């Protein structure tokens, strides 16, 4: 089935539309969620909840605004953040308020964060786990899921320029933490 046919079947409440949507998009949604929610059972439940919510709200889907996959990611994003807020205490980073630190160029960030050394990659993964939920989700959507900023803006409901700034600040925060660790 094409995406248009899937949406039509879902709007008509046909079972084959639900099966097609799940078979086509479940792995993608699960991969996004499990990067944020390490417990596989919770990630599976959130993936299932994403589809249930989508099936119940298919009438609000607008193909002119986003693809079905991006719309599903938006639902999963919100459900996952809600889940994480209920499970994790609020974390405030001292680094966010330290304006006295020297500014970091894009070139410095790329050079430091894109190195392929295994110990650096392991450290980055550890630091990612320590980030606030929204920052971790942004990095997941941008780097792991390879969504363009325009799609992430739709998924998160945040302006693309604001997201670009958040992405830069988050990368800068990782860079500083790596420098402290070294």
């Amino acid at each position: 089935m094409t995406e248009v046919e899937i949406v039509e079947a879902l709007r008509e409440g046909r079972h084959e539309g639900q099966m097609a949507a799940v078979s086509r998009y479940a792995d993608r949604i699960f991969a996004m969620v499990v990067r944020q929610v390490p417990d596989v059972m919770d990630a599976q439940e959130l993936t299932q909840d994403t589809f249930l919510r989508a099936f119940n709200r298919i009438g609000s889907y607008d193909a002119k605004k986003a693809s079905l996959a991006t719309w599903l990611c938006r639902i999963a994003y919100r459900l996952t953040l809600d889940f994480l807020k209920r499970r994790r205490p609020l974390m405030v980073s001292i680094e966010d308020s330290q304006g006295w630190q020297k500014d970091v160029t894009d070139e410095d960030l790329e050079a430091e964060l894109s190195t392929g050394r295994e110990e650096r990659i392991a450290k980055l993964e550890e630091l990612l786990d320590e980030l606030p939920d929204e920052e971790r989700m942004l990095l997941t959507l941008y780097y792991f899921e390879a969504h363009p900023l325009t799609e992430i803006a739709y998924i998160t409901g945040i302006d693309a320029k604001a997201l670009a700034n958040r992405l830069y600040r988050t990368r800068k925060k990782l860079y500083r933490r790596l420098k402290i660790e070294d």
Side-chain angles (χ1 to χ4, degrees), residues 16-87:
E16 64 266 15
Q18 294 175 345
M19 296 300 293
V22 170
S23 68
R24 182 174 293 174
Y25 303 113
D27 289 342
R28 182 177 184 177
I29 298 300
F30 177 76
M32 184 183 96
V33 172
V34 80
R35 285 189 184 103
Q36 306 305 313
V37 181
D39 182 79
V40 173
M41 297 295 282
D42 288 337
Q44 288 172 337
E45 188 173 327
L46 285 164
T47 301
Q48 192 173 36
D49 290 349
T50 297
F51 285 98
L52 290 174
R53 182 164 294 176
F55 298 158
N56 289 328
R57 297 185 180 174
I58 192 64
S60 68
Y61 169 67
D62 184 355
K64 294 175 186 165
K65 290 184 180 179
S67 68
L68 184 60
T70 301
W71 185 68
L72 289 168
C73 285
R74 180 181 179 133
I75 295 169
Y77 170 83
R78 290 186 173 161
L79 288 173
T80 302
L81 281 182
D82 288 346
F83 174 83
L84 292 170
K85 286 176 184 172
R86 288 190 308 268
R87 301 278 177 161

Side-chain angles (χ1 to χ4, degrees), residues 161-175:
K161 285 189 176 199
L163 282 173
N165 287 334
R166 285 185 187 185
L167 183 62
Y168 174 77
R169 284 194 316 269
T170 302
R171 292 173 58 210
K172 191 169 159 179
K173 183 188 300 185
L174 285 174
Y175 172 85

Side-chain angles (χ1 to χ4, degrees), residues 119-133:
E119 59 273 356
R120 179 56 51 116
I121 292 169
K123 187 61 189 171
L124 274 170
E125 288 174 350
E126 182 181 315
L127 291 174
L128 282 174
D129 289 341
E130 296 173 7
L131 289 174
D133 300 330

Side-chain angles (χ1 to χ4, degrees), residues 93 95-96 101 104 108-109 112-113 120 123-132 135-136 139-140 143-144 166-182:
S93 172
E95 293 170 358
D96 288 338
Q101 295 183 359
V104 181
D108 291 339
L109 286 172
E112 190 65 28
L113 298 178
R120 179 56 51 116
K123 187 61 189 171
L124 274 170
E125 288 174 350
E126 182 181 315
L127 291 174
L128 282 174
D129 289 341
E130 296 173 7
L131 289 174
E135 291 176 355
R136 207 171 60 252
L139 291 174
T140 296
Y143 288 106
F144 295 106
R166 285 185 187 185
L167 183 62
Y168 174 77
R169 284 194 316 269
T170 302
R171 292 173 58 210
K172 191 169 159 179
K173 183 188 300 185
L174 285 174
Y175 172 85
R176 287 180 177 151
R177 287 185 179 177
L178 282 171
K179 286 299 185 189
I180 289 170
E181 299 286 327
D182 288 344

